[in-house]
Amino acid sequence: MKTPVFKVIKPGMQTTVQDLGRYGYQQFGVSPAGAMDAYAMQIANLLVGNKLAEAVLEASFIGPAMEALSDLVISICGGDFSPTVDGQAVPLWKSILIKKGQVVSVGQCKRGARTYIAIAGGIDVPAVLNSKSTFLNGSFGGHEGRALKKGDRLSGFPEIRKPSKSIHPDLIPDYKKQLQIRVMLGPHHHRFTERSLGQFLTAEYRVSPQSNRMGYQLNGPKLQHTNGPDIISDPIPLGGIQVPASGQPIILMTDHQTTGGYTRIGTVISVDISKLAQAVPDTIIKFSEVTLEEAHRLYLERQSLLKRLALAAT
């Protein structure tokens, strides 16, 4: 039965409802949206007994404070935002029981950029095009198509499942300020000078403060085109790396536009998107090239891990 679960006391910088995103509609100009760090989001769901794709709350940089309106089992996974319940520190990457009237506070990021709050039983918001994800630029999905505000009330289907589930420490990412990000070159790498291709795979780039859920702007050595940056607009994948006339790469993230008219030097492999999701401004990024076969192998390994964890959690 649908039940009130949280009242928002402080909304945080940008707290939204996200699941794994909405796919199959990019040909109509609809962005996938979804959780930036799909790994942390799915682990949070597993720890409270939800399905992997259930919607959660994604908090960016500064998290919310929320009063529990029912007894709840929750988990908080991802960046370390020093979470507390009634002022007492609670662990990350573990399910916990909170009582009606207690206040869950998720503070300012100490490590990482985003954290995820899963509620056993899930969050009750309408599915739009088969997803509960909030698409901020389109003002639809999630909770009224926007980030949470003070006074908002969220409902769900709370289930008091056995708390104190956790995962092995080896499966908890270490969010660093220097990242090695694996890419597949193309489809327009032939539109760059040989020197620029070498720079792209050897130089350091820094995440700009202008980065957001739509894309990460990078600052570093300028990449030179051989025949200008413009192409006939074509579809853009998650992780596509555009290089406009400035010569500075832009990595397209979950709220990316569906088509674009700039050359793409490469694409970040799927399993490294979660690393990028936790990058704060000034994080150093170094790119390395992998083959399509290696990208597939790494993706299948990650999916196999999540399936094994899901089986173990039942």
Side-chain angles (χ1 to χ4, degrees):
M1 184 175 68
K2 182 170 75 172
T3 303
V5 292
F6 275 128
K7 177 182 176 181
V8 179
I9 300 169
K10 295 180 182 179
M13 180 176 288
Q14 186 183 85
T15 305
T16 58
V17 177
Q18 301 291 345
D19 57 21
L20 288 177
R22 73 182 42 83
Y23 290 90
Y25 301 96
Q26 290 191 71
Q27 66 267 38
F28 306 114
V30 179
S31 168
M36 289 275 279
D37 183 348
Y39 178 75
M41 171 240 164
Q42 290 177 93
I43 297 296
N45 272 322
L46 290 178
L47 290 174
V48 296
N50 290 344
K51 293 181 179 179
L52 287 170
E54 184 55 68
V56 304
L57 295 177
E58 176 185 271
S60 300
F61 297 102
I62 300 174
M66 302 179 295
E67 178 187 352
L69 301 178
S70 303
D71 291 354
L72 304 170
V73 173
I74 68 168
S75 66
I76 305 173
C77 297
D80 183 358
F81 287 41
S82 302
T84 63
V85 173
D86 284 350
Q88 299 298 310
V90 293
L92 293 162
W93 305 92
K94 186 175 182 179
S95 60
I96 56 175
L97 173 66
I98 58 174
K99 295 291 188 178
K100 180 178 179 180
Q102 290 189 306
V103 174
V104 178
S105 296
V106 182
Q108 187 168 351
C109 58
K110 292 170 55 181
R111 186 177 296 108
R114 291 172 176 83
T115 203
Y116 295 84
I117 305 167
I119 305 165
I123 300 171
D124 178 52
V125 294
V128 178
L129 301 176
N130 302 317
S131 171
K132 295 180 179 180
S133 284
T134 310
F135 178 43
L136 293 171
N137 293 337
S139 299
F140 64 83
H143 182 76
E144 300 180 3
R146 58 170 173 81
L148 298 185
K149 295 179 180 178
K150 180 179 179 180
D152 281 344
R153 289 173 176 260
L154 296 174
S155 295
F157 306 93
E159 300 179 10
I160 303 305
R161 299 165 178 161
K162 183 180 179 181
S164 299
K165 288 184 178 179
S166 58
I167 63 170
H168 194 281
D170 288 350
L171 300 179
I172 299 174
D174 182 13
Y175 301 128
K176 299 177 180 178
K177 296 212 53 179
Q178 183 161 343
L179 300 177
Q180 191 77 31
I181 298 298
R182 293 163 290 191
V183 301
M184 294 179 295
L185 290 181
H188 308 121
H189 57 295
H190 60 281
R191 295 279 300 269
F192 295 86
T193 65
E194 286 295 324
R195 182 171 182 271
S196 286
L197 282 174
Q199 282 182 322
F200 177 69
L201 294 172
T202 56
E204 292 183 350
Y205 288 86
R206 289 182 181 270
V207 176
S208 162
Q210 281 69 50
S211 302
N212 54 33
R213 282 180 50 89
M214 188 172 181
Y216 280 14
Q217 297 187 40
L218 305 183
N219 295 323
K222 181 176 180 179
L223 300 175
Q224 299 287 341
H225 299 87
T226 57
N227 191 28
D230 299 324
I231 59 168
I232 296 173
S233 290
D234 67 357
I236 293 177
L238 175 63
I241 306 171
Q242 287 186 328
V243 185
S246 68
Q248 299 298 312
I250 302 171
I251 306 174
L252 282 305
M253 300 299 285
T254 53
D255 282 0
H256 64 80
Q257 69 272 33
T258 57
T259 61
Y262 292 129
T263 50
R264 293 196 310 280
I265 195 169
T267 303
V268 176
I269 67 172
S270 298
V271 298
D272 281 359
I273 295 294
S274 288
K275 288 185 190 178
L276 282 172
Q278 298 294 348
V280 297
D282 281 335
T283 295
I284 296 171
I285 290 177
K286 294 192 72 173
F287 295 106
S288 60
E289 183 183 6
V290 297
T291 63
L292 177 62
E293 290 75 19
E294 178 70 358
H296 281 167
R297 184 186 68 79
L298 293 166
Y299 173 78
L300 291 172
E301 282 183 0
R302 171 64 58 83
Q303 293 305 106
S304 176
L305 170 65
L306 289 169
K307 286 180 181 178
R308 291 198 307 273
L309 291 174
L311 287 172
T314 57

